[in-house]
Amino acid sequence: MRYFIMALAVLTAPPVFAQAEADLKPGEIVKDCDFCTDLVLVPAGEFTMGSDPALPGTDMNRGEGPQVKINIVKPFLLAKTETTHGQFKRFVEETGYQVKPGCRVWDNEFVDKPEASWRNPYQPAKPLDNHPVGCVSWDDAQAFIAWLSKKIGKAYRLPTEAEWEYAARAGTDTLRFWGDNPDEACHWANTFDVSGQEKYPFPWSHSACKDGYADMAPVGSFKPNPFGLQDMIGNVWE
C-alpha cells in the first residue's frame, strides 16, 4: 500500500551501508557521488525502542509498544536527508522502471486515489526535485537501492526498524529528539503547525509555531538531530 497525506508519505527510506568505514568518526559525512545524498556515520549504542505507555499521545494499539532494550552493536552510515524526488526521477529515467500508480491521500478522509503517483502525490501536485519522493512502495524502494548499489559499487540497503528508530531518537529519551515541547517543532521538523492549520483547518491539535510549510518542505530545511540527521520526524511518512 502506498500512502500520502498532507505532510507525510511512504518514502524510499534512507539507505545505509552494511558496514561503515572504520576510520570515520560519528557525525562525519560521506558522499559517494555528485547526486548522492550525504551519508552520516551513526555511532553504535543502546536505546529503548517503543513508546512509554505513560507518556501523552502514546497509542499501544498502533504498535508503539511494548518497550524493548535494543543494542546497536556496529556503527552504520545513514542518509542525512530523505531520498529526493529528483534522485528517484533520475533512477526512473535511467532504468525505465515502471512505478505502479495509486496512493492513499487525505481528502477530508483517507481515500485511495488510483490516479495518484510519485509524479503527482497531490500535496503538492508537482513536487520539486528537492522535495522528498512520496507515493512509492517498498518494492520501489528496493529497486531504487539495487540501482544505486550497482551504479556506485557499494552495498546500500534500507535501515531496519530498530536502526531507524535509534537514529531518529539520536540518543535522547524525551518525547521528541529536541525535547518535550511540541511548540518548538518548527525549528526541527515539518509537522502540523500554524502554517498547516491555516491552509487545512482540520480539528486536530497543532504546534503553536509557524514554519512556513503547509505541505512538504524541501529536504534539509530544518535543524539536524544530535546525530546530524535531518527530516527524521515529519515532512513525509516513512
Side-chain angles (χ1 to χ4, degrees):
M1 178 65 71
R2 299 170 176 83
Y3 294 92
F4 195 92
I5 63 176
M6 182 186 61
L8 306 174
V10 171
L11 170 79
T12 308
V16 298
F17 284 128
Q19 186 175 356
E21 282 85 341
D23 57 345
L24 292 176
K25 296 179 181 179
E28 285 198 69
I29 292 176
V30 172
K31 192 174 186 68
D32 285 328
C33 67
D34 58 352
F35 67 88
C36 293
T37 302
D38 289 348
L39 297 166
V40 177
L41 185 68
V42 176
E46 187 178 83
F47 80 111
T48 300
M49 186 173 178
S51 298
D52 184 342
L55 293 176
T58 297
D59 186 348
M60 305 304 280
N61 293 323
R62 296 190 305 182
E64 296 181 16
Q67 291 187 305
V68 180
K69 284 285 187 182
I70 299 290
N71 187 21
I72 304 295
V73 297
K74 292 182 179 180
F76 58 93
L77 287 165
L78 184 67
K80 183 177 176 66
T81 65
E82 298 150 330
T83 301
T84 67
H85 184 86
Q87 290 166 331
F88 193 78
K89 179 170 67 176
R90 179 166 182 160
F91 153 66
V92 170
E93 290 176 347
E94 286 193 10
T95 63
Y97 181 81
Q98 297 295 313
V99 182
K100 294 180 180 179
C103 250
R104 177 164 293 181
V105 302
W106 179 264
D107 187 11
N108 295 316
E109 61 179 343
F110 286 113
V111 181
D112 292 326
K113 297 280 190 179
E115 69 275 18
S117 70
W118 71 274
R119 295 186 185 275
N120 175 17
Y122 272 66
Q123 305 291 345
K126 295 182 179 180
L128 301 176
D129 280 350
N130 62 353
H131 278 136
V133 65
C135 272
V136 294
S137 68
W138 184 87
D139 289 332
D140 300 330
Q142 294 292 353
F144 172 83
I145 287 172
W147 166 79
L148 186 63
S149 297
K150 182 177 181 180
K151 192 174 186 69
I152 304 306
K154 293 186 177 181
Y156 285 83
R157 63 174 173 83
L158 295 179
T160 66
E161 182 181 5
E163 286 171 336
W164 186 90
E165 185 169 332
Y166 173 69
R169 289 183 179 273
T172 66
D173 57 7
T174 49
L175 281 174
R176 302 157 188 86
F177 68 80
W178 64 81
D180 293 327
N181 186 357
D183 294 338
E184 295 180 3
C186 295
H187 299 294
W188 307 97
N190 182 21
T191 62
F192 190 54
D193 57 15
V194 175
S195 298
Q197 205 276 336
E198 287 177 347
K199 184 173 181 179
Y200 304 100
F202 304 139
W204 302 343
S205 61
H206 61 275
S207 301
C209 61
K210 194 171 185 177
D211 65 17
Y213 297 104
D215 300 302
M216 282 196 298
V219 302
S221 295
F222 300 88
K223 292 181 180 181
N225 72 13
F227 282 169
L229 302 165
Q230 296 170 278
D231 307 318
M232 296 297 286
I233 295 178
N235 210 27
V236 291
W237 187 4
E238 296 162 327

